[in-house]
Amino acid sequence: MWVKGRIPCSSAELNIDIVLQCGQSFRWKRDLINKSWQGVFSNKLWILKQGSSEISYEVLSSDAECHQTKVEKEQICNEELVDYFQFNVPLVPLYDAWSQADEKFKKLALRYQGVRMLRQDPVENVFSFICSSNNNIQRISSMVEHLCSSYGKQIAVYNGQKVYSFPELSSLMDESVERNLRTLGFGYRAKYIQKAAEIIEQRGGRSWLVNLRNVPYVEAKASLVSIPGIGEKVADCICLMSLDKTCAIPVDTHVFQIAKTYLPALAEKKSVTHRIYSEISIFFQELYGPYAGWAHTVLFSADLRHLKDPPEKAPKRGKNQQNNTVQKRKKNTRI
DNA sequence: GGCTTACCTTTCGG
DNA sequence: ACCGAAAGGTAAG
């Protein structure tokens, strides 16, 4: 059954259009007609819509909770949404502090308001980001969709489309997983996924992973990088996006380029070695403080091609230049 | 130890 | 439209 609700929220506290497509979660689909978003978390299908001073939602609540009263369901859904978007963390004061610390940030702050960190499920986060290595957002999204439709359970049919939960660890451990994922185009990541599931299960499964939330950042990161397919960057993504490590700075190729604008000495460096990685991480942590990872995501989002403003002076549809772009933009178009 | 190179495949961009 | 290069890297050499 559908449960509806709303949460007061200004556009400075959340910009849903950026947050749901800036590469944190790969499971959200935009509905341009209704100006809404659909996606899955907490094993439920959510339809979200941002108004000028609120987020309204409709959620398909699971059968397992059918004994609850309507009021109880509404309260649980509210809590789940607040937890997922971390609305208990006020973003505006953080933006103020980051703007004060950094002129470059200040210039982006108005255009990129409301970019906050989601608090994702650690299992989904781990396997999504194993897929992310040497890869682009579009392909990652399709791989995550494959994981769900092959190994998740169907939780709804919406607009004629089957909707799946993210798979349990135990579903990804089987020997057959690597072979199957290879046929689905996962490439060398297929083996990592199967092995990672195995090792996480050995260490205590989902609850072991979730408990890394209660472990210091350095220790949690060390645990993660010992899992196949997880290197330093992916470990930091997981720390930041699902393990409450707000200071973690994932240094990818984008952040490397951004860092060069702060640290000119980096210009001559060809690639991100561990040494450089650490240098860049520490620089941003000292610049922005304990929520440096959150600040980094604002810079990162502002740098993503599909989230940038179209060039001011460029003709909007006058040249053949746009003929390609029209198709390419179909999933990225802004309101 | 720190720095290149191979790895799967898709998408990008000149 | 084609084709080399890049894509939110990791692990092995």
Side-chain angles (χ1 to χ4, degrees):
Chain A
M1 80 174 263
W2 289 94
V3 174
K4 299 186 184 185
R6 54 184 9 194
I7 290 176
C9 175
S10 73
S11 58
E13 284 296 327
L14 173 64
N15 182 332
I16 201 168
D17 291 331
I18 294 180
V19 169
L20 296 186
Q21 62 174 337
C22 70
Q24 295 188 50
S25 168
F26 300 96
R27 295 214 64 194
W28 289 96
K29 291 180 185 167
R30 191 174 200 174
D31 180 341
L32 287 168
I33 309 290
N34 297 310
K35 297 184 177 175
S36 64
W37 288 88
Q38 57 171 296
V40 177
F41 65 90
S42 298
N43 284 326
K44 296 168 191 163
L45 170 65
W46 296 75
I47 312 296
L48 306 180
K49 191 166 182 175
Q50 180 158 32
S52 54
S53 61
E54 65 183 23
I55 300 296
S56 60
Y57 65 83
E58 297 177 26
V59 55
L60 196 55
S61 79
S62 63
D63 295 339
E65 290 159 6
C66 62
H67 60 282
Q68 293 156 350
T69 68
K70 192 180 171 202
V71 173
E72 284 169 341
K73 282 183 179 174
E74 286 171 352
Q75 189 182 344
I76 289 169
C77 290
N78 247 353
E79 285 167 5
E80 284 172 342
L81 195 69
V82 167
D83 184 72
Y84 187 70
F85 283 99
Q86 312 206 66
F87 285 132
N88 56 327
V89 179
L91 194 56
V92 171
L94 290 172
Y95 266 58
D96 288 344
W98 300 330
S99 295
Q100 198 164 344
D102 176 15
E103 278 299 319
K104 290 195 214 292
F105 185 95
K106 193 173 184 177
K107 285 182 185 165
L108 293 173
L110 272 181
R111 165 67 182 86
Y112 293 91
Q113 283 185 71
V115 180
R116 59 170 52 244
M117 194 56 56
L118 299 173
R119 187 171 195 247
Q120 299 188 64
D121 174 65
V123 173
E124 175 174 337
N125 203 212
V126 162
F127 291 97
S128 298
F129 279 84
I130 288 176
C131 294
S132 79
S133 77
N134 203 355
N135 212 343
N136 52 59
I137 291 182
Q138 199 162 331
R139 184 177 172 213
I140 300 164
S141 303
S142 104
M143 287 162 73
V144 171
E145 191 56 40
H146 272 307
L147 279 181
C148 295
S149 58
S150 302
Y151 298 105
K153 88 172 189 233
Q154 187 181 319
I155 57 171
V157 176
Y158 186 69
N159 288 343
Q161 300 272 305
K162 292 179 177 176
V163 178
Y164 298 90
S165 61
F166 198 87
E168 294 298 319
L169 269 173
S170 53
S171 324
L172 298 173
M173 293 171 54
D174 196 85
E175 293 282 350
S176 62
V177 167
E178 178 185 351
R179 184 168 34 81
N180 185 37
L181 292 183
R182 277 204 174 255
T183 66
L184 290 173
F186 280 59
Y188 58 81
R189 304 163 196 86
K191 183 197 286 281
Y192 294 157
I193 288 171
Q194 190 266 322
K195 288 286 177 200
E198 226 171 73
I199 287 185
I200 293 171
E201 194 63 34
Q202 278 172 21
R203 295 185 187 176
R206 157 176 291 278
S207 59
W208 172 79
L209 197 57
V210 174
N211 188 54
L212 293 179
R213 284 177 170 167
N214 306 316
V215 165
Y217 164 55
V218 173
E219 208 177 306
K221 181 172 173 179
S223 289
L224 291 172
V225 295
S226 68
I227 295 168
I230 301 183
E232 192 168 18
K233 185 268 178 183
V234 169
D236 272 329
C237 286
I238 298 163
C239 282
L240 177 64
M241 299 178 185
S242 65
L243 298 179
D244 302 335
K245 314 308 180 204
T246 59
C247 69
I249 308 282
V251 180
D252 58 27
T253 163
H254 287 262
V255 176
F256 183 41
Q257 298 308 321
I258 294 169
K260 286 177 180 172
T261 70
Y262 290 84
L263 304 168
L266 290 176
E268 60 192 82
K269 309 293 182 183
K270 286 188 233 167
S271 60
V272 181
T273 62
H274 286 297
R275 162 90 191 191
I276 306 223
Y277 190 105
S278 161
E279 201 177 314
I280 293 173
S281 281
I282 290 171
F283 171 76
F284 283 118
Q285 284 162 352
E286 289 179 348
L287 180 60
Y288 295 126
Y291 278 73
W294 287 46
H296 134 282
T297 295
V298 181
L299 297 185
F300 181 82
S301 297
D303 200 56
L304 283 177
R305 192 171 43 79
H306 67 278
L307 294 178
K308 278 193 199 260
D309 281 322
E312 282 294 327
K313 304 270 177 165
K316 296 227 162 163
R317 51 186 78 78
K319 290 284 186 181
N320 60 2
Q321 146 203 17
Q322 288 293 347
N323 284 341
N324 289 336
T325 325
V326 169
Q327 296 188 340
K328 172 169 74 185
R329 282 272 173 100
K330 62 177 181 242
K331 70 172 266 193
N332 290 334
T333 313
R334 284 190 299 288
I335 30 178

